[in-house]
Amino acid sequence: MPRLLALIASGTLGLGLLGIPAAGATSFDASLSPAAAFTTEGIVYGDLTNDGHPDILLPDSVGNLRVIQNTTDTADTGQLFGFAASSPTGTWQGVQITHHGSLRGGIGHDELIAHSAGSPRLSLYRTWTTGLADSTSFFLNGSTTQGAVTCLSAGGVTITCPSELGTDWSNATQILAIGSVNNETTDTPARTNLVAVIGTKLWLFSPGSNSVKLLAPTDTLLSALDWSGYDLIGPGPANGTTTCTNAAGTTTTTSQATLWTRERSTGRILAYPITRNPANTCAIDYSALADPAQGAVIGNSIAPTAYPVVGSVGDLTGDGVPDLYGQNPAGQVTVWPGAVGDATGHPGAVTGFEAPLAG
């Protein structure tokens, strides 16, 4: 049974949004039994409710946070997941939320990260099957006590931290959990990395060592160019696997995070793979993220006026390929399944999208 149908049956289709109805598009089937929907496939990134399926979350009209159940629903009819009062501001409207794994580590499902515009702290919410639990707010150094951080270039060289970075999240306009830049497997929970637009620059934040030090106090400047015109999207490892052999002859195969964006001026969906550099002992290679305009085009015409919210929570359809989702101004959600364009030369890399699934 396709996972997307199972998500609808179990009421757990989760955080993300996109799409337009198309002739002949496959409809959701809400008649399937919840018992038939549950499967166990190791760690499922994107899953907040711990039922084995990724979750799309949206605020409703009174500021509660809800899980969207199918493409004919709006946020007001989805499953209640978090009351408005649990938000950092007293309402989930206008609060940025993101999830892909956990910063605390050893967690078999996602935890929610939230940020309200201008706030000096991020909030990490523990999650349960029925919704949100307690939260911890933390500064740029990953702790509850504000402190200095050090900065690196994308090549790992220590640099002077730009003034707009500061030591808190006040200048962050977008924050995204993207998963592990090292390697993401389904049998061992991997701590997530964060990327953020601070000022106009793109930054990477690595997970810390424990539940008190949620982030490492060393931050990486991925790009000094202007990312303010791009919506960050986190599909997980959407570039397939990377096999790298270093000069000593050691070969590693990893499944690393990928960044997607929606270019607001054109509606294009762009992909930026994180890979490894064989010329540098197979160190993590962030070079694809140097220039936001140089991402590989994998989708078109997703205009912000038609789809104010776009995103991904990974594989919604059960085929092992990350998908794209979007929300229209009426609050309805449609999913475009990811398509793999080069199964032989680069297995698992998403290079486009199939016809949208519509209600």
Side-chain angles (χ1 to χ4, degrees):
M1 177 177 62
R3 178 173 297 175
L4 189 55
L5 302 185
L7 288 169
I8 302 309
S10 60
T12 56
L13 179 62
L15 178 114
L17 333 141
L18 168 70
I20 53 175
T26 303
S27 296
F28 292 106
D29 183 353
S31 65
L32 302 173
S33 70
F38 183 79
T39 59
T40 300
E41 299 177 356
I43 305 300
V44 177
Y45 295 95
D47 175 20
L48 283 162
T49 57
N50 201 24
D51 67 350
H53 303 304
D55 297 308
I56 297 173
L57 299 182
L58 290 172
D60 64 20
S61 60
V62 295
N64 296 320
L65 195 60
R66 293 181 179 269
V67 179
I68 301 304
Q69 295 178 316
N70 64 49
T71 56
T72 62
D73 281 347
T74 66
D76 284 332
T77 58
Q79 172 189 329
L80 181 64
F81 192 74
F83 288 105
S86 66
S87 162
T89 63
T91 176
W92 288 103
Q93 294 179 0
V95 174
Q96 185 181 5
I97 55 176
T98 183
H99 63 91
H100 187 101
S102 169
L103 285 174
R104 294 191 299 134
I107 309 297
H109 59 280
D110 286 6
E111 295 182 307
L112 188 69
I113 296 171
H115 183 249
S116 53
S119 173
R121 301 190 188 197
L122 292 188
S123 295
L124 175 69
Y125 288 79
R126 294 198 298 167
T127 59
W128 304 100
T129 302
T130 54
L132 298 176
D134 57 302
S135 66
T136 300
S137 296
F138 57 96
F139 292 98
L140 209 67
N141 63 1
S143 77
T144 57
T145 302
Q146 193 168 8
V149 297
T150 57
C151 297
L152 301 176
S153 70
V157 177
T158 301
I159 60 173
T160 300
C161 294
S163 59
E164 72 266 21
L165 182 66
T167 57
D168 64 33
W169 301 96
S170 300
N171 292 327
T173 56
Q174 293 189 70
I175 296 171
L176 182 73
I178 61 169
S180 173
V181 299
N182 293 295
N183 190 26
E184 190 166 291
T185 67
T186 60
D187 53 0
T188 303
R191 283 191 171 101
T192 189
N193 291 82
L194 304 181
V195 293
V197 176
I198 298 181
T200 61
K201 301 178 178 67
L202 186 69
W203 289 85
L204 174 80
F205 301 90
S206 298
S209 56
N210 54 50
S211 59
V212 176
K213 298 178 181 179
L214 293 171
L215 292 174
T218 301
D219 308 326
T220 301
L221 178 61
L222 296 176
S223 173
L225 299 182
D226 188 352
W227 288 74
S228 61
Y230 297 81
D231 295 314
L232 305 183
I233 302 170
N239 197 51
T241 56
T242 296
T243 298
C244 184
T245 302
N246 64 20
T250 301
T251 298
T252 58
T253 299
T254 50
S255 183
Q256 298 166 259
T258 301
L259 178 66
W260 290 347
T261 69
R262 191 259 302 274
E263 188 178 39
R264 294 180 193 143
S265 61
T266 65
R268 298 187 305 172
I269 304 299
L270 306 175
Y272 314 80
I274 297 171
T275 59
R276 293 187 179 276
N277 183 358
N280 185 23
T281 65
C282 288
I284 300 172
D285 187 350
Y286 299 110
S287 60
L289 289 78
D291 185 346
Q294 296 303 310
V297 180
I298 59 173
N300 290 287
S301 303
I302 313 301
T305 52
Y307 309 103
V309 181
V310 294
S312 176
V313 288
D315 176 24
L316 287 167
T317 60
D319 61 358
V321 180
D323 307 310
L324 187 66
Y325 62 83
Q327 182 190 34
N328 66 23
Q332 295 175 325
V333 173
T334 304
V335 175
W336 281 348
V340 176
D342 183 7
T344 301
H346 203 170
V350 177
T351 57
F353 299 99
E354 298 175 357
L357 298 171

